[in-house]
PDB file of all heavy atoms in Angstrom:
ATOM      1  N   LEU A1486     -31.228 -10.725  22.250  1.00 98.00           N
ATOM      2  CA  LEU A1486     -31.002 -10.817  23.741  1.00 98.00           C
ATOM      3  C   LEU A1486     -31.882  -9.814  24.445  1.00 98.00           C
ATOM      4  O   LEU A1486     -32.569 -10.151  25.430  1.00 98.00           O
ATOM      5  CB  LEU A1486     -29.541 -10.626  24.126  1.00 98.00           C
ATOM      6  CG  LEU A1486     -29.203 -10.633  25.528  1.00 98.00           C
ATOM      7  CD1 LEU A1486     -29.504 -12.045  26.170  1.00 98.00           C
ATOM      8  CD2 LEU A1486     -27.788 -10.308  25.806  1.00 98.00           C
ATOM      9  N   THR A1487     -31.900  -8.625  23.979  1.00 98.00           N
ATOM     10  CA  THR A1487     -32.657  -7.543  24.431  1.00 98.00           C
ATOM     11  C   THR A1487     -34.127  -7.990  24.524  1.00 98.00           C
ATOM     12  O   THR A1487     -34.954  -7.883  25.510  1.00 98.00           O
ATOM     13  CB  THR A1487     -32.485  -6.200  23.784  1.00 98.00           C
ATOM     14  OG1 THR A1487     -31.161  -5.886  23.822  1.00 98.00           O
ATOM     15  CG2 THR A1487     -33.262  -4.993  24.435  1.00 98.00           C
ATOM     16  N   ALA A1488     -34.655  -8.418  23.264  1.00 98.00           N
ATOM     17  CA  ALA A1488     -36.093  -8.817  23.192  1.00 98.00           C
ATOM     18  C   ALA A1488     -36.372  -9.975  24.161  1.00 98.00           C
ATOM     19  O   ALA A1488     -37.560 -10.069  24.600  1.00 98.00           O
ATOM     20  CB  ALA A1488     -36.340  -9.192  21.808  1.00 98.00           C
ATOM     21  N   LYS A1489     -35.496 -10.834  24.385  1.00 97.00           N
ATOM     22  CA  LYS A1489     -35.643 -12.066  25.304  1.00 97.00           C
ATOM     23  C   LYS A1489     -35.177 -11.919  26.554  1.00 97.00           C
ATOM     24  O   LYS A1489     -34.849 -13.004  27.275  1.00 97.00           O
ATOM     25  CB  LYS A1489     -35.085 -13.340  24.504  1.00 97.00           C
ATOM     26  CG  LYS A1489     -35.835 -13.632  23.175  1.00 97.00           C
ATOM     27  CD  LYS A1489     -35.289 -14.909  22.627  1.00 97.00           C
ATOM     28  CE  LYS A1489     -36.169 -15.360  21.410  1.00 97.00           C
ATOM     29  NZ  LYS A1489     -35.574 -16.455  20.641  1.00 97.00           N
ATOM     30  N   SER A1490     -34.802 -10.741  27.131  1.00 96.00           N
ATOM     31  CA  SER A1490     -34.110 -10.568  28.288  1.00 96.00           C
ATOM     32  C   SER A1490     -34.748 -11.185  29.582  1.00 96.00           C
ATOM     33  O   SER A1490     -34.138 -11.675  30.450  1.00 96.00           O
ATOM     34  CB  SER A1490     -33.799  -9.116  28.655  1.00 96.00           C
ATOM     35  OG  SER A1490     -34.916  -8.423  28.652  1.00 96.00           O
ATOM     36  N   ALA A1491     -36.107 -11.250  29.413  1.00 96.00           N
ATOM     37  CA  ALA A1491     -36.931 -11.855  30.547  1.00 96.00           C
ATOM     38  C   ALA A1491     -36.574 -13.365  30.703  1.00 96.00           C
ATOM     39  O   ALA A1491     -36.729 -13.901  31.842  1.00 96.00           O
ATOM     40  CB  ALA A1491     -38.416 -11.705  30.364  1.00 96.00           C
ATOM     41  N   GLN A1492     -36.192 -13.901  29.595  1.00 97.00           N
ATOM     42  CA  GLN A1492     -35.805 -15.404  29.647  1.00 97.00           C
ATOM     43  C   GLN A1492     -34.394 -15.645  29.992  1.00 97.00           C
ATOM     44  O   GLN A1492     -34.066 -16.849  30.105  1.00 97.00           O
ATOM     45  CB  GLN A1492     -36.134 -16.022  28.253  1.00 97.00           C
ATOM     46  CG  GLN A1492     -37.551 -15.961  27.709  1.00 97.00           C
ATOM     47  CD  GLN A1492     -37.633 -16.259  26.269  1.00 97.00           C
ATOM     48  OE1 GLN A1492     -37.015 -17.268  25.826  1.00 97.00           O
ATOM     49  NE2 GLN A1492     -38.261 -15.467  25.448  1.00 97.00           N
ATOM     50  N   ALA A1493     -33.569 -14.575  30.048  1.00 98.00           N
ATOM     51  CA  ALA A1493     -32.096 -14.872  30.225  1.00 98.00           C
ATOM     52  C   ALA A1493     -31.747 -15.113  31.726  1.00 98.00           C
ATOM     53  O   ALA A1493     -30.680 -15.653  32.006  1.00 98.00           O
ATOM     54  CB  ALA A1493     -31.313 -13.689  29.754  1.00 98.00           C
TER      55      ALA A1493
END
Side-chain angles (χ1 to χ4, degrees):
L1486 176 62
T1487 304
K1489 293 185 174 170
S1490 60
Q1492 300 168 46

